[in-house]
Amino acid sequence: EAQVTQNPRYLITVTGKKLTVTCSQNMNHEYMSWYRQDPGLGLRQIYYSMNVEVTDKGDVPEGYKVSRKEKRNFPLILESPSPNQTSLYFCASSTHPAGLDEQYFGPGTRLTVT
Amino acid sequence: AQTVTQSQPEMSVQEAETVTLSCTYDTSESNYYLFWYKQPPSRQMILVIRQEAYKQQNATENRFSVNFQKAAKSFSLKISDSQLGDTAMYFCAFMNLYDMRFGAGTRLTVKP
């Protein structure tokens, strides 16, 4: 089954404790992206990747890192999480290398930073 | 930078009736894509409909259709014969070469 998976689905952590949210897709998509969803703000793009080893900042990259060492994986790293990073996070991938097509979203990761 | 505005935070409609969700955007680009995504209580993001800016014909997917007015930078979604399963948050989105922008969303409730 074609899908985007994220882990963990729920995470409660403390300020400053490094964490990684994994994202994997099995559709051989070149384009992958991370978003955060906050009430009243919709989804905002954090980082995106056009291919292996090629990433770029989105709208709200501060406090986040990403890597794309393999085509299927695009982990999101929070080196020192802060409470303002409490949010719902989505990973997505697309058939089009520039994302100009339907984006397939993962199930979301609810992160709480205390 | 591109922006997307959904001016209706919440809407409701009676089952079987028609409802229109509004979306406007701001861009200086001429080539782009527009999307409507549905997010039910499960939080899963589901593509409803897509419109390429270079196409003048409005996109249609079963009960869902759009009114795309490029000059006015408007992209509204019409849902016909509303069903209880249409209850969800709806997001309008703009995409131009890697950069994707979403509106704040409209929460639609379909009442029996």
Side-chain angles (χ1 to χ4, degrees), chain A residues 3 23 37-38 86 94:
Chain A
Q3 61 182 351
C23 172
Q37 181 179 357
D38 301 290
T86 292
S94 174

Side-chain angles (χ1 to χ4, degrees), chain B residues 13 19 24 33 47 82 92 99 103:
Chain B
V13 63
V19 64
T24 59
Y33 287 67
L47 178 67
S82 296
C92 177
D99 181 23

Side-chain angles (χ1 to χ4, degrees), chain B residues 24 30 37 74 80 97 101 107:
Chain B
T24 59
S30 58
Y37 279 89
S74 171
S80 304
L97 283 179
R101 305 281 171 148
R107 186 174 300 280

Side-chain angles (χ1 to χ4, degrees), chain A:
Chain A
E1 178 191 357
Q3 61 182 351
V4 178
T5 57
Q6 292 179 230
N7 282 293
R9 296 288 309 279
Y10 301 89
L11 179 61
I12 300 174
T13 189
V14 296
T15 299
K17 185 176 181 181
K18 180 180 178 179
L19 66 92
T20 299
V21 183
T22 64
C23 172
S24 183
Q25 50 92 5
N26 62 1
M27 296 168 279
N28 202 37
H29 288 170
E30 293 181 7
Y31 179 90
M32 297 185 75
S33 186
W34 274 104
Y35 302 90
R36 60 176 290 173
Q37 181 179 357
D38 301 290
L41 296 176
L43 282 79
R44 292 178 293 169
Q45 192 176 45
I46 302 171
Y47 269 95
Y48 59 87
S49 170
M50 303 80 93
N51 213 325
V52 175
E53 303 291 1
V54 183
T55 64
D56 206 350
K57 297 177 181 178
D59 198 24
V60 287
E62 294 76 21
Y64 304 95
K65 285 176 58 177
V66 293
S67 68
R68 187 94 181 270
K69 293 183 170 59
E70 303 168 284
K71 197 171 187 178
R72 63 183 293 127
N73 296 324
F74 190 44
L76 180 69
I77 303 156
L78 285 72
E79 294 269 0
S80 183
S82 62
N84 65 11
Q85 293 178 298
T86 292
S87 187
L88 177 61
Y89 291 86
F90 286 99
C91 178
S93 70
S94 174
T95 54
H96 194 287
L100 297 175
D101 202 340
E102 176 180 1
Q103 294 206 19
Y104 294 81
F105 284 81
T109 294
R110 172 71 70 185
L111 173 65
T112 301
V113 184
T114 61

